[in-house]
Amino acid sequence: MPLTAETQSSAAALAQQSSRPALPATQAALYLLSGGAPSPAPALEPQPVPGRGQLDPSGHCIQPSQASASPSPFQVWLLSLPPSALSPAWPAPPRPQADPLLLLSLCSLATNPSPLCSLTSAEAMKPPSGPEEAWQQASDISVFASSCTLHGLSHVFGQGSLTPRRGLWAVAMLLSMAAFLYQVAERVRYYGEFHHETALDERESHQLTFPAITLCNINPLRRSRLTPNDLHWAGPSLLGLEPSEHAAFLRALGQPPTPPGFMPSPTFDMARLYTRAGHTLEDMLLDCRYRGRPCGPENFTAIFTRMGQCYTFNSGADGAELLTTPKGGAGNGLEIMLDVQQDEYLPVWKDMEETPFEVGIRVQIHTQEEPPSIDQLGFGAAPGYQVFVSCQQQQLSFLPPPWGDCSSASLDPDFEPEPAGPLGPPSPSPGPSPPYSLMGCRLACETRYVARKCGCRMMHMPGSAPVCSPQQYKDCADAMLRKDSCVCPNPCAITRYAKELSMVRMPSRAAARYLARKYNRSEAYIAENVLVLDIFFEALNYETVEQKKAYEVSELLGDIGGQMGLFIGASLLTILEILDYLCEVFLDRVLGYFWNRKRSQRPSSTHLAFHPSLCRHQDSFRLPPHLLPRHTALDLVSASSGPSLNILDTLCLHMTLSPSSQIKF
């Protein structure tokens, strides 16, 4: 119980009574704190204290003896007082469950300021007998093994000497640990290979965005639009004409030969040539309907490709709203009737690499974000047929490195000074640019390569470089494009369209006369020049092809956790326990070593016997006397002529008192 004011006054009165033997206030306070009360009692003879200490005639504690007597706790406490302080007037307080460390502290308080107690630290740390457990350091491997959740560790580092059983347990733990580490290394190696898998799925949609449709006439230039100046500049590169052949070629076109004194223009623009002499959509488009509604040239956007001037339906250029369709099947897409204008085709003068022998149009179905590459990816539609194109949308997703090789960086096609050599993907554009696509990457890369080598760009290439002249086309640009110097990774997201084509002959005999009358053409002309193109979605479902990581980090951790539980019976908390134990070892063995060296260099002072758990706290407070924690019993101690208590002694006394009497901070 806490020492009350009444107890303090009683202790002071006991110390001042002249009719009783002299008793210092310190001893009186501790006597009352232990539960004593002034009542007559027979004097007790000093008895040895087993395992602790006994008193010499002067009242000091000496080394423990081998006496076999087992006095009561109260007798041990009484023996801590000087013989002169004992008289029949001071009875023994009934305290059957005294703490031995409290008795050591009382023994120290009862002595003179010279050595308070001569107990060695080994004796002070001797574990008590009986059911009370012995205190051990947290860094002790046996203590850690007894509480660690790592299976088998307690069988290896238990108490006692080495036995064959402990050796077998050690071998089993080593084998299990080796198997566990092997499995972990195998899983980490597999994760480091960054495998991926491809998942195919089919999904439904209530509405799909209609793709962009690019159309090009296979004939790049109309014969009626060519002039002697065009032949002078573009004849050698486009048709393989020599200057001496220009007059004969003009006669083949049905035009007069070059007049005498002809002077070609000082400059020539290939883009203007294709704009002026190429097939116009107004002349080719006979009929247009989208989902049964009329459409016209205003729904198309002119664009340059390697085949000349082409036209794109539903391009979304200039912020135009993209068309959608809520149904699949024929009649729910784009249906157009085209006139290929065979009478405007250029005569084949020589067999060149790019000389067209076909008649009809080239068509490419692509997304609005992807530039057309119709000379490589387009399919043909011939006159005299109605071509049905059934599409299905496919969405492909690829993984970036290290699982895949996709990229999503936007590109800048403008020329930048670079060292000579093969080009990789162009650098990202600092400003806004279209989304990354494979064909867009190749086009931008080719633009920069041609601009670096030739100082110009071809008319279908983007950027701000000047358009190449016909001679630059022939001597440089075409040759550079044949060198496959661009390496472009796949985009991380691609939308493409699978196609199924079917066709029927048109017009029928019944329809030929009507069409000839409607478009003021002959039936033969209709049969040789007119075609119908019908493009639609097969259904509103679309396919997804997605690359996924074959082995995620969560799966790696799950495999490691499973192997850990299977072989060594551990978990993540076991690792934390081991780390905590290593910290305790560091504190007790490393920091404790330097702390003991520091304490050994200080002048020795009188201290109370204290519990070993206070070792790491000693002198760490460094408080001035007026800030020390107080107990009511300590007021009597400071008022007496006994030894003064420092902060360590105060803590020791606090730890030895019963819970109801401890010092309140």
Side-chain angles (χ1 to χ4, degrees):
M1 296 176 59
L3 197 64
T4 61
E6 181 180 357
T7 305
Q8 298 181 29
S9 60
S10 301
L14 289 172
Q16 296 175 2
Q17 287 180 3
S18 58
S19 59
R20 300 179 184 272
L23 183 64
T26 300
Q27 299 171 0
L30 295 174
Y31 171 76
L32 294 175
L33 185 62
S34 63
S39 60
L44 297 176
E45 295 296 331
Q47 298 291 336
V49 183
R52 291 300 181 186
Q54 59 184 356
L55 300 176
D56 60 7
S58 63
H60 291 79
C61 296
I62 61 176
Q63 294 295 334
S65 64
Q66 302 298 326
S68 60
S70 299
S72 65
F74 167 68
Q75 290 175 327
V76 177
W77 178 84
L78 258 189
L79 290 178
S80 65
L81 302 178
S84 59
L86 300 176
S87 69
W90 297 97
R95 190 178 179 186
Q97 300 295 334
D99 189 350
L101 292 175
L102 173 61
L103 302 181
L104 290 176
S105 300
L106 295 176
C107 174
S108 301
L109 288 172
T111 58
N112 294 327
S114 52
L116 294 177
C117 188
S118 58
L119 286 174
T120 63
S121 60
E123 288 295 328
M125 296 176 61
K126 183 177 181 181
S129 59
E132 184 178 1
E133 296 182 356
W135 179 88
Q136 291 176 302
Q137 291 185 354
S139 61
D140 191 348
I141 185 62
S142 61
V143 175
F144 170 72
S146 63
S147 60
C148 182
T149 57
L150 185 64
H151 291 188
L153 195 64
S154 60
H155 298 283
V156 179
F157 297 99
Q159 298 289 345
S161 60
L162 181 63
T163 61
R165 177 177 174 273
R166 293 174 63 182
L168 292 176
W169 272 105
V171 171
M173 280 206 64
L174 291 177
L175 292 177
S176 299
M177 184 64 69
F180 164 67
L181 294 178
Y182 173 78
Q183 294 293 335
V184 170
E186 180 66 20
R187 290 290 87 192
V188 172
R189 182 197 62 80
Y190 181 78
Y191 177 79
E193 293 177 354
F194 302 107
H195 296 276
H196 68 266
E197 57 187 15
T198 303
L200 176 63
D201 192 14
E202 186 170 346
R203 301 178 183 178
E204 297 289 338
S205 176
H206 298 289
Q207 182 174 277
L208 289 179
T209 300
F210 200 75
I213 312 296
T214 299
L215 311 170
C216 294
N217 199 314
I218 291 178
N219 181 61
L221 298 172
R222 290 179 292 177
R223 60 191 301 169
S224 63
R225 300 290 180 173
L226 290 180
T227 64
N229 187 64
D230 298 334
L231 293 181
H232 173 81
W233 286 100
S237 59
L238 296 179
L239 306 173
L241 293 176
E242 298 297 334
S244 59
E245 300 174 328
H246 288 176
F249 190 81
L250 287 174
R251 284 193 296 268
L253 295 179
Q255 297 182 11
T258 305
F262 168 74
M263 293 295 295
S265 62
T267 60
F268 189 81
D269 192 334
M270 290 287 290
R272 291 183 179 179
L273 169 65
Y274 279 95
T275 302
R276 174 175 52 83
H279 293 268
T280 63
L281 188 63
E282 289 79 0
D283 296 335
M284 290 194 302
L285 187 63
L286 301 179
D287 188 34
C288 176
R289 292 181 180 276
Y290 176 73
R291 295 183 56 207
R293 299 176 183 176
C295 56
E298 65 276 5
N299 299 107
F300 290 79
T301 303
I303 185 174
F304 285 110
T305 69
R306 293 203 65 182
M307 295 186 65
Q309 181 170 260
C310 303
Y311 304 92
T312 302
F313 175 79
N314 194 32
S315 65
D318 301 327
E321 184 179 358
L322 298 181
L323 301 176
T324 59
T325 177
K327 292 182 180 181
N332 291 288
L334 177 66
E335 184 177 0
I336 55 177
M337 179 180 290
L338 296 173
D339 181 4
V340 298
Q341 298 177 325
Q342 280 202 65
D343 54 351
E344 289 284 2
Y345 275 41
L346 294 176
V348 178
W349 193 256
K350 285 183 179 180
D351 187 5
M352 297 182 61
E353 182 179 354
E354 297 184 2
T355 300
F357 297 102
E358 309 89 20
V359 60
I361 62 172
R362 296 289 293 272
V363 185
Q364 182 181 358
I365 303 174
H366 56 94
T367 62
Q368 286 76 17
E369 293 81 12
E370 182 181 4
S373 182
I374 196 167
D375 58 308
Q376 301 176 15
L377 304 178
F379 63 91
Y385 290 91
Q386 181 172 358
V387 181
F388 297 92
V389 183
S390 175
C391 302
Q392 184 179 28
Q393 181 175 318
Q394 296 176 336
Q395 295 182 358
L396 289 76
S397 299
F398 299 97
L399 290 174
W403 294 272
D405 60 350
C406 78
S407 175
S408 58
S410 57
L411 308 176
D412 183 10
D414 285 334
F415 167 72
E416 295 177 2
E418 294 180 0
L423 293 181
S427 59
S429 174
S433 59
Y436 178 84
S437 63
L438 182 60
M439 300 311 301
C441 172
R442 292 188 61 86
L443 186 60
C445 178
E446 290 173 354
T447 301
R448 296 177 63 185
Y449 188 59
V450 171
R452 189 177 69 184
K453 296 294 184 180
C454 306
C456 61
R457 64 180 176 88
M458 301 177 77
M459 63 177 183
H460 70 279
M461 293 179 174
S464 58
V467 179
C468 296
S469 66
Q471 193 64 32
Q472 287 175 317
Y473 260 82
K474 180 180 179 181
D475 297 340
C476 183
D478 286 333
M480 292 299 103
L481 289 184
R482 293 188 185 98
K483 299 179 180 179
D484 194 9
S485 304
C486 295
V487 179
C488 291
N490 288 325
C492 293
I494 304 177
T495 300
R496 68 183 184 187
Y497 299 92
K499 300 173 288 293
E500 292 184 2
L501 277 67
S502 61
M503 61 188 66
V504 295
R505 289 276 300 180
M506 67 82 58
S508 64
R509 292 180 180 179
R513 187 176 304 173
Y514 167 76
L515 293 176
R517 186 171 62 254
K518 178 179 180 180
Y519 297 111
N520 195 20
R521 300 289 185 177
S522 65
E523 295 183 15
Y525 182 91
I526 296 296
E528 293 178 355
N529 292 276
V530 176
L531 63 89
V532 175
L533 186 65
D534 193 354
I535 301 175
F536 54 90
F537 280 119
E538 178 182 358
L540 293 185
N541 56 354
Y542 61 95
E543 292 181 352
T544 60
V545 181
E546 183 178 3
Q547 282 187 352
K548 296 183 178 180
K549 299 176 184 177
Y551 199 58
E552 298 277 2
V553 177
S554 58
E555 295 176 305
L556 173 64
L557 296 178
D559 286 348
I560 293 177
Q563 303 293 343
M564 187 184 300
L566 175 64
F567 287 103
I568 59 177
S571 65
L572 181 62
L573 296 181
T574 305
I575 300 177
L576 297 180
E577 289 179 352
I578 296 175
L579 295 177
D580 180 71
Y581 169 71
L582 295 178
C583 292
E584 291 289 347
V585 171
F586 177 78
L587 291 175
D588 290 345
R589 306 294 170 85
V590 180
L591 297 184
Y593 170 77
F594 293 104
W595 178 254
N596 292 334
R597 288 189 58 184
K598 182 178 179 181
R599 283 190 56 83
S600 63
Q601 297 173 1
R602 296 181 180 178
S604 59
S605 58
T606 302
H607 296 288
L608 295 172
F610 57 92
H611 195 281
S613 62
L614 294 178
C615 292
R616 65 186 65 179
H617 302 290
Q618 54 189 0
D619 291 347
S620 61
F621 292 87
R622 301 186 182 277
L623 299 175
H626 67 280
L627 294 180
L628 296 179
R630 305 301 302 169
H631 189 279
T632 51
L634 299 179
D635 296 332
L636 296 176
V637 175
S638 60
S640 67
S641 58
S644 61
L645 301 178
N646 58 17
I647 181 60
L648 176 62
D649 300 330
T650 305
L651 287 175
C652 293
L653 181 59
H654 168 71
M655 295 298 294
T656 56
L657 294 177
S658 62
S660 60
S661 304
Q662 287 182 355
I663 304 172
K664 306 300 181 183
F665 290 89

